[in-house]
Structure formats: structure tokens, C-alpha cells
């Protein structure tokens, strides 16, 4: 089953000590590109987060957002740096003596020293990395699974659309084949009429000469092989979509290139306005297929 590269998934974890919310968004990309945004203190788990996402998402640009809310006070320690506080005190006293004024009208106060940079600092408590890794990976896997489910639903819609457009192209190819058989005959009739008009009926035109010219023309504008290959490409696309077990976006992208190649060749060889018009419709459908394939994993 094919999958879209576009989707969103969310996962949440709460153990009473912390609440972790994970959101994963993905969009089109030629390769696998996973970026993770999370608090720096948990960076030790980033590689495992990427590995967990890769288990579900093989291709696409994926943005993983991890938010951690600590629910207890045990997670942070307040550190007092008395050495820095002492230096601030001494320097403030020196300023007071040098300029002979009272700081704040009441000298150096506790509030003043406590507000100085780095005197008091909130430092996160040391994490149990193994426990925290488990806590983070649980909602990551949940979000990745939800994202995969959304991509699968969207992929089913893409598959339905692609198979429908493949059927339209096959119907157009059948019409082109019917018309292509008539083109040499129509050319022979027109060629004879033109020659007769030029010679004004004064000379008898050998039928075998007309047939030779028509045969040469038929050989030059023969599109049987191209139509056969184009039909084959439609069958291959349908087979890939219906039997897909691995990401096949790149395979389908290559197949669309081959469809375009055959369509361009047919268009250049077709010396008939009806065939040309039908081919324009074929190329329009191939372009729609190409646009859809760009979103397949």
C-alpha cells in the first residue's frame, strides 16, 4: 500500500512527574530528512528519537517537536555561588568609598546581592538518562504511528486517483490506435487528390507509386511500439500501487519520466490533428500523475 509523504501525528506521555508532548509533521522531500526540536538537556536521546521515527517514516522531510513539562519541584536545584557574591559585595563597597555615597539609601542589601548575575542559579537536576529515554520514546513512537496512519489514508486516496488516471490514459491510447490505423489511408487519398489537382487530370497517376509513398509515410509516423510501451507503463503503475509493500515513490517517479518520453515521441511522430489532440489529453493526465507521485513515499 502506497503512503503519502504529508501528514501529522501526536503522542503524549504522563507519569505524574512530567508531561511529554510529541508532535511530528512531514512534507514532500526527495530523501529522508528528520529534524528534532527539544530541550537541550535531553539531547542525549536525539539519535534514538530519529531511529524510532525512521522505523515508520522512510522518506520525506520530518519535523519532530518534543515538549517536556516537569510537574514536580524535585527537578530543579537552586545553587548559591558565595564566591561571586563576595566579589560583588567587595566591589560595591569599593564603589561606595570611591564616590562617597550610600547605595540605594541603605547600603548594600541582601536583595541587591541576590539579584546579581550568577549569584543564585536554577540548575536542572541530573536526569536518569535511561528512564528519560524510555519516557520520551513512548510518545515519539505513538506520534510516529499516528503520522503513519494519516499518511496511509492519504496514500489510499492518491492510489485511487492514480489508477483512475491510468485508466483514462489507456482509453485514450485505444482511440489513438484506432485513428493511427486510418492515418496512412487518409494520407494516400489526400496525396492522390493533390497530385491530380496539380496535374489537372492530364496524366494518369500509377496506383503503385501512390502506395509506395503512403507506405513510406506510414513507416515514418508508425507509433505502435510507443503506444504499446505507454500501455505497459500504465499496467506497471497499477501493479506497483496494488502490490506495494515498500516505499515506491522513486520507482513511480521514474516510471512517469518514461511515460513522458513515450508521449513526446508519439506527439512528434503523429502527423494527424486528431492524434495530436488525443495526445495532448494524454500528456495532461501524465502531468497530473506526476504531481501526485511527488507526494508518494
Amino acid at each position: 500500500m502506497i503512503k503519502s509523504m504529508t501528514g501529522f501525528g501526536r503522542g503524549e506521555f504522563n507519569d505524574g512527574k512530567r508531561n511529554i508532548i510529541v508532535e511530528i509533521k512531514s512534507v514532500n522531500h526527495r530523501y529522508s530528512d528528520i529534524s528534532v526540536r527539544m530541550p537541550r538537556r535531553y539531547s542525549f536521546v536525539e539519535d534514538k528519537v530519529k531511529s524510532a521515527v525512521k522505523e515508520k517514516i522512510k522518506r520525506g522531510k520530518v519535523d519532530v517537536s518534543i515538549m517536556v513539562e516537569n510537574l514536580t519541584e524535585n527537578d530543579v536545584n537552586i545553587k548559591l555561588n558565595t564566591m561571586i557574591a563576595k566579589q560583588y559585595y567587595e566591589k560595591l563597597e569599593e564603589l561606595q568609598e570611591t564616590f562617597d555615597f550610600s547605595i540605594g539609601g541603605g547600603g548594600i542589601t541582601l536583595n541587591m546581592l541576590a539579584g546579581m548575575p550568577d549569584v543564585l542559579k536554577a540548575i536542572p537536576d541530573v536526569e536518569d538518562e535511561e528512564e528519560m529515554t524510555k519516557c520520551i520514546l513512548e510518545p515519539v513512537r505513538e506520534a510516529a504511528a499516528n503520522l503513519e496512519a494519516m499518511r496511509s489514508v492519504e496514500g489510499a486516496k492518491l492510489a485511487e486517483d492514480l489508477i483512475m488516471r491510468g485508466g483514462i490514459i489507456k482509453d485514450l491510447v485505444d482511440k489513438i490506435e484506432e485513428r493511427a490505423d486510418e492515418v496512412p489511408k487518409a494520407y494516400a487519398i489526400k496525396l492522390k487528390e493533390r497530385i491530380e489537382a496539380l496535374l489537372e487530370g492530364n496524366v494518369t497517376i500509377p496506383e503503385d507509386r501512390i502506395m509506395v509513398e503512403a507506405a513510406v509515410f506510414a513507416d515514418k509516423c508508425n507509433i505502435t511500439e510507443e503506444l504499446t510501451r505507454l500501455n505497459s507503463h500504465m499496467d506497471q503503475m497499477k501493479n506497483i500501487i496494488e502490490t506495494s509493500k515498500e516505499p515506491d515513490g522513486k520507482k513511480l517517479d521514474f516510471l512517469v519520466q518514461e511515460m513522458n518520453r513515450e508521449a513526446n515521441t508519439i506527439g512528434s511522430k503523429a502527423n494527424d490533428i486528431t492524434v495530436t489532440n488525443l495526445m495532448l489529453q494524454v500528456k495532461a493526465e501524465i502531468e497530473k500523475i506526476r504531481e501526485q507521485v511527488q507526494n508518494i513515499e
Side-chain angles (χ1 to χ4, degrees):
M1 180 180 183
I2 68 172
K3 299 174 186 176
S4 167
M5 279 192 284
T6 303
F8 173 82
R10 191 176 190 273
E12 189 168 353
F13 171 86
N14 189 313
D15 62 357
K17 294 188 294 184
R18 59 184 67 86
N19 188 53
I20 303 173
I21 298 175
V22 177
E23 294 181 345
I24 306 178
K25 296 184 292 185
S26 66
V27 294
N28 302 1
H29 198 276
R30 292 184 65 187
Y31 309 105
S32 175
D33 180 14
I34 301 174
S35 60
V36 180
R37 290 189 296 109
M38 62 193 303
R40 289 180 60 186
R41 64 183 295 194
Y42 305 122
S43 58
F44 56 83
V45 77
E46 183 172 339
D47 287 341
K48 291 183 180 178
V49 167
K50 289 183 178 180
S51 296
V53 173
K54 284 181 180 178
E55 290 176 6
K56 297 290 185 182
I57 312 301
K58 306 300 182 185
R59 182 171 172 238
K61 179 171 176 53
V62 182
D63 292 318
V64 183
S65 175
I66 301 175
M67 295 158 282
V68 181
E69 178 188 5
N70 295 298
L71 305 177
T72 66
E73 297 178 356
N74 299 329
D75 193 62
V76 176
N77 291 323
I78 304 298
K79 299 295 184 181
L80 169 63
N81 194 323
T82 54
M83 294 297 294
I84 289 180
K86 184 179 179 182
Q87 290 185 52
Y88 277 127
Y89 185 85
E90 292 173 350
K91 297 302 180 183
L92 287 169
E93 275 197 324
E94 185 179 331
L95 280 173
Q96 189 175 7
E97 292 173 3
T98 301
F99 295 102
D100 190 26
F101 65 84
S102 175
I103 301 175
I108 301 169
T109 65
L110 177 61
N111 286 341
M112 184 184 298
L113 280 178
M116 293 297 179
D118 298 324
V119 173
L120 293 174
K121 183 182 291 186
I123 300 177
D125 199 5
V126 176
E127 294 282 0
D128 181 336
E129 291 191 4
E130 185 176 347
E131 179 191 0
M132 199 61 198
T133 297
K134 291 179 181 178
C135 293
I136 291 176
L137 289 183
E138 184 175 326
V140 166
R141 292 193 175 100
E142 180 186 357
N146 289 335
L147 172 61
E148 182 187 35
M150 180 178 284
R151 285 160 57 116
S152 296
V153 171
E154 189 66 25
K157 294 178 182 177
L158 290 173
E160 184 180 341
D161 184 76
L162 291 175
I163 290 175
M164 180 269 291
R165 297 196 182 283
I168 291 174
I169 290 175
K170 287 179 73 70
D171 289 342
L172 289 169
V173 167
D174 289 343
K175 293 179 181 179
I176 292 172
E177 286 178 334
E178 291 176 8
R179 177 59 186 171
D181 291 338
E182 300 299 320
V183 171
K185 299 176 185 177
Y187 175 78
I189 294 171
K190 286 183 179 179
L191 179 63
K192 185 176 181 181
E193 289 175 350
R194 288 175 185 171
I195 294 174
E196 287 177 345
L198 287 170
L199 299 178
E200 297 180 347
N202 295 326
V203 178
T204 303
I205 306 166
E207 284 294 325
D208 59 340
R209 184 58 183 169
I210 296 293
M211 296 309 296
V212 168
E213 290 296 328
V216 171
F217 172 81
D219 184 60
K220 286 182 178 180
C221 67
N222 187 287
I223 53 176
T224 303
E225 291 184 14
E226 288 82 1
L227 291 173
T228 300
R229 284 195 292 267
L230 189 54
N231 255 330
S232 175
H233 294 334
M234 296 305 116
D235 293 335
Q236 288 181 58
M237 181 180 72
K238 184 177 180 181
N239 182 62
I240 290 171
I241 291 170
E242 292 180 341
T243 63
S244 174
K245 293 181 180 180
E246 295 294 330
D248 283 311
K250 290 184 178 180
K251 188 184 296 184
L252 288 170
D253 189 47
F254 174 77
L255 192 58
V256 171
Q257 293 180 40
E258 294 303 305
M259 294 177 192
N260 266 317
R261 194 192 314 278
E262 301 303 339
N264 288 333
T265 303
I266 293 169
S268 64
K269 292 175 70 174
N271 206 329
D272 179 76
I273 189 62
T274 302
V275 173
T276 298
N277 288 335
L278 289 169
M279 278 312 305
L280 288 175
Q281 295 179 51
V282 169
K283 293 184 74 170
E285 293 301 323
I286 291 175
E287 178 59 22
K288 292 174 184 175
I289 290 174
R290 186 193 67 78
E291 291 174 358
Q292 298 286 44
V293 165
Q294 298 304 306
N295 197 37
I296 293 176
E297 184 179 61

